[in-house]
Amino acid sequence: MWRKRLVRDTCWNFAGFVVPILVAVVAVPLLVLRLGDERFGVLAIGWMVMGYFVLSDFGLGRATTKYLSEACRELDVTIERDAIYTSMAIHLGLGLVGGGLFAAITPFVVRSAFQVSAGLQDETIAGFYWLAASVPVLLATSCLRGILEARRRFDFVNILRVPSVSINYIVPLVILGVSNNLSHILAAIFVGRVGGALAHYMCVLRVIPQIGAEAQFSTDILRVLLRFGGWLAVSSLVAPVILFADRIFVATLFGPAAVTYYVTPYEVVTKLWMFSASLLGALFPVLSAMEPRSQEVGRVARKAFIILFVLTVPAVGVLLAYGRDLLALWISAELAQHSGTVAKWLAVGVLSNVLAQVPLTVLQATGKPEIVARIQVAQLPAYILGAWWLSRKFGTVGIAMAWAIRAAIELMLLQVAAVRWTGVEGFRLTRQTAIGGAIVVMFLGTAWSVDTIWRFDVGLRTLLFGAVFVPYLIWQWRALLDPSDRLEILKLLRVQSRAPNTL
């Protein structure tokens, strides 16, 4: 039963990611054109800083989801209500502290760290204050979303995700009809986020009508959440630094205008995260309810890894061969010239990052978040030093290179750790796996090379890429998937083709 529901939940998640992507595809070129490189770069910096504070909830969001998922079948209504109330109170408290800190550092960040030009400083500071006010609102929304995920109401989660994400693109376009002042744009986005939080609360009330009846703050439940969330807290602080460090380097070393040349390809290639986010977002509550070191956990994780591999590698190959063309069609030939190589390195990194989410989710869902946190903490200084060194030699391309190398190392470390913890046999190096790895490297290497060598001959590039793309698809379908995997993917694609119509 849970497998059928997992397919449905994954489809809801996928639709919830795809629709905002389609909105962004239309909106971002218009925003770049109408705001200009520097203003759009400042807006992208605002989204980046905002994302860090939202992700830094000390792990309580995922801890809440895990706590409610584990006990949902036998949980007393009073305990469930108190757990929700306790988690919400902590999220709001953290949001107020984080928002206050964001507001306090805003003048320094704008004037010194990100080198915003003098003419834009006043409106940028005013706009960032609106972002600071958004922090408690977004953390409260994140908590409410975690409650819905624990109840596996991914229909509500994704119906609400579409407008919640899309306002980042739609609202600026609407306001630009009246003003291009960044403070006006970010103030309007803040109003939209408040509306999104209220909508999430109404959905939680529908799922759990008794949520507001005589709820109490429980220190016992808080201790349980903190016990699990302690190491998640480390991850929630370190992971956003890793995630956003590349753009911080670009902004501080090369200025806001360069952020546009980096963030735009980043926005393209990181959309591949929707594969892992769709599947593993639905899988996390399922894994949380399983026996941590059971064979079933290993089987589910292996299948998830293979499915993500089969979906992501061909997509990365297409980005390596045609990413520069997509950027030229989407934004401009000038941007593609500056950002093409950055996009290729980021695409390689995203492949590793998507696959790394499987062992990461397994470790967190089965009660070993400290392993993930230790790996993230250990890699952070080496990554920062590597990004700084490579940026001095290769500019923004060097930063993308450092990001890709870090992602590959993280994948290997997490995979080894997950195999050791679960006790399930991992992907051993055999003759078959060696041959398979060589085929994948050859495919991706060819995709990279045809863009480098035949960049200006689209016809020849397509002929050469197609000569390896079609055989690769046939190979992975036959060699990597067993009959049950093929059947599940076909079911997923059939259901997915209908999923957007339900929105």
Side-chain angles (χ1 to χ4, degrees):
M1 176 63 71
W2 68 263
R3 291 179 176 85
K4 293 181 180 179
R5 190 171 180 180
L6 178 64
V7 171
R8 185 198 68 182
D9 293 344
T10 301
C11 291
W12 271 112
N13 285 342
F14 193 84
F17 285 110
V18 166
V19 175
I21 288 172
L22 296 177
V23 173
V25 166
V26 176
V28 168
L30 296 174
L31 288 173
V32 173
L33 177 65
R34 297 177 66 181
L35 284 171
D37 286 346
E38 186 174 17
R39 265 194 168 85
F40 181 80
V42 170
L43 184 62
I45 290 170
W47 290 337
M48 172 192 69
V49 177
M50 190 73 238
Y52 177 81
F53 280 93
V54 171
L55 290 172
S56 301
D57 66 347
F58 293 93
L60 289 173
R62 179 149 274 199
T64 301
T65 302
K66 178 174 172 59
Y67 179 78
L68 295 176
S69 298
E70 286 178 335
C72 129
R73 285 173 294 185
E74 52 202 0
L75 199 59
D76 182 275
V77 172
T78 303
I79 298 176
E80 181 179 38
R81 185 177 62 221
D82 290 350
I84 292 170
Y85 183 87
T86 302
S87 180
M88 179 62 74
I90 295 300
H91 274 83
L92 284 172
L94 290 173
L96 291 171
V97 172
L101 178 60
F102 188 4
I105 66 173
T106 285
F108 167 77
V109 166
V110 172
R111 294 187 179 121
S112 301
F114 292 147
Q115 306 175 29
V116 176
S117 64
L120 282 180
Q121 285 183 4
D122 288 343
E123 65 182 85
T124 300
I125 290 172
F128 276 26
Y129 284 146
W130 284 110
L131 288 178
S134 300
V135 173
V137 177
L138 287 175
L139 281 182
T141 303
S142 176
C143 178
L144 294 168
R145 186 183 301 117
I147 295 166
L148 292 172
E149 289 176 351
R151 282 297 191 98
R152 301 192 67 181
R153 291 308 303 262
F154 290 95
D155 49 350
F156 285 161
V157 168
N158 290 284
I159 287 172
L160 293 173
R161 177 183 282 130
V162 170
S164 296
V165 177
S166 298
I167 62 172
N168 285 321
Y169 309 106
I170 294 175
V171 168
L173 286 177
V174 173
I175 300 300
L176 279 171
V178 180
S179 168
N180 69 347
N181 189 295
L182 289 170
S183 65
H184 299 160
I185 292 172
L186 293 171
I189 290 176
F190 168 77
V191 173
R193 284 169 173 162
V194 171
L198 293 175
H200 278 81
Y201 183 70
M202 296 301 295
C203 286
V204 170
L205 278 180
R206 182 172 176 179
V207 175
I208 312 172
Q210 68 278 6
I211 183 176
E214 300 179 358
Q216 296 181 357
F217 187 90
S218 170
T219 54
D220 291 336
I221 292 175
L222 178 60
R223 279 194 292 269
V224 174
L225 295 178
L226 291 177
R227 191 178 305 123
F228 178 77
W231 281 104
L232 283 177
V234 177
S235 291
S236 70
L237 292 172
V238 175
V241 174
I242 295 173
L243 188 63
F244 297 126
D246 52 350
R247 281 155 288 175
I248 293 173
F249 270 111
V250 173
T252 54
L253 294 176
F254 307 109
V259 175
T260 298
Y261 293 128
Y262 189 91
V263 168
T264 305
Y266 183 93
E267 288 294 319
V268 173
V269 301
T270 55
K271 297 310 178 191
L272 294 181
W273 282 338
M274 65 185 177
F275 292 130
S276 56
S278 300
L279 176 59
L280 298 173
L283 198 57
F284 181 80
V286 175
L287 289 170
S288 296
M290 289 181 178
E291 186 66 30
R293 306 187 72 180
S294 64
Q295 288 295 316
E296 188 173 21
V297 168
R299 285 194 298 270
V300 171
R302 182 182 180 278
K303 185 162 292 190
F305 190 96
I306 290 175
I307 288 174
L308 289 177
F309 189 91
V310 166
L311 292 173
T312 309
V313 172
V316 169
V318 171
L319 287 174
L320 292 177
Y322 297 102
R324 203 182 306 267
D325 303 270
L326 294 173
L327 287 170
L329 289 172
W330 187 35
I331 306 293
S332 68
E334 180 187 1
L335 186 139
Q337 181 181 356
H338 285 90
S339 305
T341 306
V342 169
K344 291 166 74 171
W345 279 104
L346 290 175
V348 173
V350 166
L351 172 60
S352 297
N353 196 260
V354 166
L355 298 177
Q357 298 311 301
V358 177
L360 182 148
T361 301
V362 168
L363 290 167
Q364 290 187 341
T366 56
K368 282 295 179 179
E370 68 271 19
I371 297 177
V372 177
R374 287 168 182 161
I375 289 173
Q376 290 172 336
V377 170
Q379 68 177 297
L380 181 58
Y383 169 51
I384 291 176
L385 288 174
W388 177 83
W389 183 75
L390 288 171
S391 70
R392 309 308 294 180
K393 288 186 170 293
F394 304 105
T396 55
V397 173
I399 295 175
M401 291 169 61
W403 196 85
I405 294 169
R406 178 211 59 79
I409 294 172
E410 182 180 59
L411 167 62
M412 291 186 289
L413 294 175
L414 287 172
Q415 182 66 16
V416 169
V419 168
R420 286 183 176 178
W421 159 240
T422 59
V424 178
E425 185 175 298
F427 301 98
R428 293 183 303 169
L429 182 61
T430 63
R431 181 180 178 183
Q432 282 187 320
T433 56
I435 292 173
I439 291 173
V440 173
V441 170
M442 182 188 71
F443 167 66
L444 295 178
T446 302
W448 184 295
S449 300
V450 295
D451 171 74
T452 302
I453 301 173
W454 295 281
R455 180 180 305 173
F456 303 106
D457 192 336
V458 178
L460 181 58
R461 183 169 10 127
T462 301
L463 180 64
L464 294 172
F465 179 67
V468 295
F469 184 67
V470 175
Y472 176 79
L473 289 180
I474 296 172
W475 169 79
Q476 72 168 18
W477 182 260
R478 296 176 63 86
L480 300 183
L481 300 172
D482 58 38
S484 63
D485 293 330
R486 297 171 198 160
L487 183 61
E488 287 190 19
I489 288 179
L490 291 174
K491 285 181 180 179
L492 180 64
L493 293 174
R494 282 199 297 269
V495 177
Q496 185 57 54
S497 67
R498 300 191 296 269
N501 297 328
T502 61
L503 287 174

